[in-house]
Amino acid sequence: MQAPSGEIGRTFEWNMQTLLFSILLLAVGMALLGIKLLVKSDGSFVSPHIHDSKAMRERGIDCVVEQDRQARQKGKAC
């Protein structure tokens, strides 16, 4: 049994509205990220890497890649 063409049209219209709303949200998010880059004094984000974190270095916590490299140099890697 086929659905009436009016129902298909409403479904398509709802899907298009949802798609356009999603694209609009993504565009707003990208614009806000761009504004943040322009407003910040150095124009960059904070590095999320462990080896760039002063607090992690003070605690003696290294990146797992760095720990693996050190263990391989000492011959203690698995």
Side-chain angles (χ1 to χ4, degrees):
M1 181 173 166
Q2 290 183 342
S5 61
E7 184 179 327
I8 293 173
R10 285 189 298 272
T11 302
F12 178 76
E13 181 180 324
W14 184 83
N15 287 340
M16 286 302 295
Q17 288 176 348
T18 304
L19 178 66
L20 290 175
F21 182 70
S22 300
I23 291 172
L24 177 67
L25 281 177
L26 287 171
V28 168
M30 294 298 288
L32 291 174
L33 285 173
I35 290 171
K36 181 178 180 181
L37 283 175
L38 290 174
V39 172
K40 284 190 69 164
S41 60
D42 61 354
S44 64
F45 291 105
V46 175
S47 174
H49 298 285
I50 290 175
H51 67 272
D52 292 333
S53 171
K54 182 180 177 185
M56 292 293 194
R57 284 193 309 264
E58 289 172 353
R59 291 182 178 105
I61 300 172
D62 288 326
C63 174
V64 70
V65 175
E66 179 68 23
Q67 289 176 341
D68 184 58
R69 184 164 43 88
Q70 290 172 355
R72 288 179 189 275
Q73 289 174 348
K74 293 178 183 178
K76 295 182 180 180
C78 295

